[in-house]
Each structure stands twice: as C-alpha cells, then as structure tokens.
Amino acid sequence: MDRIFINGKVATIDSKNSFAEAVAVENGKIAKVGSKEEVLELKNDKTEVIDLEGKLLLPGFNDSHMHLLMYSYHLQNVNLVGTTSIDNIIERTKNFIKERNIASGKWILGIGWNQDYFTEGEKVFPTKYDLDKISTEHPIVFIRACYHIVIANSKAMELAGITKDSPQIEGGKFDLDENGEPIGIFREKAQGLITSHIPEPTVEEIKEMLIEGMENANKCGLTSVQTDDFEAIPGKNYENIIKAYKELNEEGKINLRIYEQCLLPSMERLKGFLDRGYRTGHGDDFFKIGPLKLLGDGSLGARTAALTKPYADCPETCGIPVFTQEEIDEL
C-alpha cells in the first residue's frame, strides 16, 4: 500500500453519508475505507502513514463543466470579474497596462465583466468608445463573463479590418450605430472576426498556462474536471492543445484528471479531428478524449440565447441561433 491516512473524519459520500476513520491509497486510487485498525492491516514497509489528527478528509471534487485552459489563459490577462461600472473597467485596465509596462502595440485581453452586476452608472455593454479611453495604441478585447460577447476597441477593429462595409456573419452579429458604424460589440460567431487576429500561444506557453491553472484547481480541492478547451484560446488549434496535455502527462506534470469536451462546431473541424484518429474514450486516467460538444445558441445575459419571443428588455432581438437546422442534422 502506498499511503494510509488515519485518525481522520473521512466523508465517504455514500448513500448514508457515513464517516470513517482511515483510508488506504494504492497507485493513486482509494483501495480501502474503514476503521484505523482495518486499514492499518494493509500497511507494509514502504507505506507512508499520515495522521490527520481529527481533520476532515473529503473525496476529490469533480468539476463537471469548466474551461480549464480558458481560465489558465486569462490568469495572465486583465481580471474584470467584479467590476462595478464601465469607468471601473477602464481604470482597472489602465492600471494593468501601467503596472506591467506593456509595450505599445501589444494586445490587451480582459475577461469577466458583466453589465448586469454594475452598481454604478448604466447597466449597458461597453463599446469601442469606452475601450478607446484606455488606449488607442494597444488593440484591446474584453470578453463578457458568459464568453458569448466580445468588445473591441478601434485599434483591434482596425487590425481585424472591420469597417461599416464589413458584411455580417451567419450565426453572429456585430452592432452598428445609427450611421451604420460598428461600435465594437461582437456577438456569437462574429467574435471570431476579432479574436482570430489575436496572436496564438505556443505549445510551451499553453503548458505553462495549464500548470498554473491546475495548481489553482488543486487548491480548491479539484482532482478531476470535464473541460471545454478547443476554442478557448487564439488560434483554436486543438492539435497544439492536445499536444500540450499529452506532453505534460508524459512529464508527470498533470495533477488533474482531464476529460476533454470536444467543441468542434463545423464539419471541417469535426472531420479533421476524426481523420486524425481521435475518438471518445481515447487516452488514460489523466487525459482522455470525451464527447463532441456543440453550442446551439448564446447566453441570456448577452441577449443571444435563442428564444421563441423577443427579449422583454431588448425587444429588437430573439437571440442568435448558431446553426441552421440542416447544419445541426449534418453534425
């Protein structure tokens, strides 16, 4: 037996919600739960015995729906969670650029704003005019907490070639003012018009991000996750993402059990994935290919979730279906 925990309050999470005193672990998995005497019978010369001194011991938590790589990626970007107004967003981002001495021309990304939680000013989406108050030298992109809307400043739109003459995109929308000028709000598939121009991280950079994200997950008690990563970062290069996970696994640096939800929202991406031999269930305990995932519409907060009637507070829209019925049938 590799390791034995004794003198604990061990929550078994069985049907009776019962508690035990001790746990034996072998090859990374629980081998026995019971009394101290029962479990210590499994001890040998190589067993590490850990005295819990009466502390609570819980099974590792599983997060059944998260975005591990996206979370890891945004640890190095502007954290906009908890911002109370557009002015607060502007101030926080200016401080971020100043503190990190970010060179002119470098992309600035922010994540987590939610206008519904603003406590100052109007509860409205920021626009390019707001982001231009931060900088017109840095391309700036802010992603809403739901990930169904991005806001871009004038520099980002310039680099992406977005003008009043740009066509709208099926399954998405970018907002225009009364003169037909884009105001920097990009919804659903239209987000890609901007995000496709953000520099793509290398495999080594992806690995560094994941290590930090996994460490933070462990601090919260997470030992396994179902994660949606394939469209989480610029480039949307699932081959590099899989390569990063596999290399970390081979190096013994994965400390979460990863079950990858495969977001492949086009026939081209899905066929390419299948042609490379990937299938649900391929992998091992620490990195495994999971199910195909599709997002049929957006979020309520972004007013892009597809409804049968117009939104009460935004009557000009019923939301945005991402696929036609024929596309869903084909996938």
Side-chain angles (χ1 to χ4, degrees):
M1 200 59 56
D2 298 328
R3 187 173 293 146
I4 288 177
F5 298 86
I6 61 172
N7 299 326
K9 185 179 181 183
V10 180
T12 65
I13 319 296
D14 64 10
S15 60
K16 298 178 181 178
N17 200 26
S18 55
F19 287 82
E21 290 181 311
V23 176
V25 176
E26 188 168 32
N27 296 323
K29 296 186 178 180
I30 293 171
K32 187 174 181 63
V33 178
S35 68
K36 175 180 176 180
E37 291 75 18
E38 289 173 331
V39 174
L40 282 175
E41 288 178 0
L42 303 175
K43 179 178 176 294
N44 57 42
D45 293 340
K46 296 181 180 180
T47 302
E48 178 186 9
V49 178
I50 298 171
D51 190 340
L52 295 173
E53 300 178 345
K55 295 184 179 70
L56 177 66
L57 181 65
L58 297 169
F61 299 150
N62 169 65
D63 193 321
S64 62
H65 177 179
M66 74 171 305
H67 303 263
L68 179 64
L69 179 54
M70 186 179 290
Y71 165 75
S72 303
Y73 177 60
H74 287 297
L75 287 174
Q76 61 187 314
N77 299 315
V78 190
N79 180 3
L80 299 179
V81 175
T83 45
T84 57
S85 66
I86 291 175
D87 287 341
N88 187 206
I89 288 174
I90 293 170
E91 179 186 18
R92 190 177 293 191
T93 310
K94 282 183 175 180
N95 290 338
F96 179 89
I97 294 171
K98 183 179 179 180
E99 289 167 3
R100 303 202 180 199
N101 195 27
I102 298 174
S104 176
K106 292 286 186 181
W107 286 77
I108 305 296
L109 306 180
I111 180 69
W113 61 274
N114 186 339
Q115 84 290 345
D116 289 330
Y117 294 161
F118 288 171
T119 57
E120 304 161 9
E122 292 185 85
K123 296 178 184 287
V124 296
F125 296 151
T127 67
K128 70 176 181 182
Y129 306 110
D130 299 308
L131 274 59
D132 285 350
K133 293 177 183 177
I134 300 168
S135 173
T136 55
E137 297 177 353
H138 298 88
I140 301 175
V141 174
F142 287 161
I143 303 173
R144 193 179 182 276
C146 63
Y147 298 96
H148 290 270
I149 279 185
V150 301
I151 312 297
N153 74 340
S154 296
K155 187 65 175 180
M157 292 170 61
E158 175 191 327
L159 294 175
I162 303 298
T163 69
K164 66 184 302 180
D165 299 319
S166 300
Q168 292 286 352
I169 185 171
E170 187 72 27
K173 173 190 174 186
F174 54 89
D175 292 17
L176 308 173
D177 65 15
E178 62 275 10
N179 298 315
E181 291 286 347
I183 59 173
I185 300 174
F186 294 80
R187 305 170 189 258
E188 299 306 329
K189 283 187 176 180
Q191 295 177 97
L193 298 173
I194 294 293
T195 57
S196 62
H197 294 271
I198 301 172
E200 180 180 342
T202 65
V203 171
E204 283 303 313
E205 288 171 337
I206 294 171
K207 289 166 67 176
E208 290 172 9
M209 296 173 201
L210 287 170
I211 287 171
E212 184 177 5
M214 289 189 293
E215 286 176 352
N216 286 356
N218 287 160
K219 289 175 183 177
C220 297
L222 290 171
T223 57
S224 63
V225 297
Q226 278 70 48
T227 179
D228 163 7
D229 295 322
F230 287 175
E231 303 225 335
I233 57 175
K236 301 181 180 181
N237 189 330
Y238 63 75
E239 290 188 86
N240 279 354
I241 294 168
I242 292 173
K243 184 178 181 184
Y245 272 122
K246 286 185 172 181
E247 287 186 6
L248 287 172
N249 200 7
E250 290 165 1
E251 295 163 8
K253 294 179 180 177
I254 285 190
N255 47 13
L256 280 176
R257 287 175 168 81
I258 308 291
Y259 197 58
E260 184 65 54
Q261 298 174 343
C262 304
L263 183 58
L264 299 161
S266 71
M267 282 306 299
E268 180 184 8
R269 282 174 70 75
L270 177 56
K271 286 179 178 177
F273 187 77
L274 297 175
D275 288 346
R276 288 167 174 81
Y278 297 119
R279 295 292 187 277
T280 299
H282 284 191
D284 60 20
D285 282 351
F286 282 91
F287 181 71
K288 188 171 291 186
I289 297 296
L292 172 67
K293 178 176 182 178
L294 298 173
L295 300 173
D297 61 351
S299 75
L300 290 168
R303 311 303 189 263
T304 58
L307 307 181
T308 55
K309 296 180 181 179
Y311 280 77
D313 60 353
C314 194
E316 64 269 23
T317 185
C318 293
I320 300 176
V322 173
F323 301 107
T324 64
Q325 187 61 52
E326 291 73 24
E327 288 171 329
I328 292 177
D329 292 344
E330 187 181 13
L331 286 162

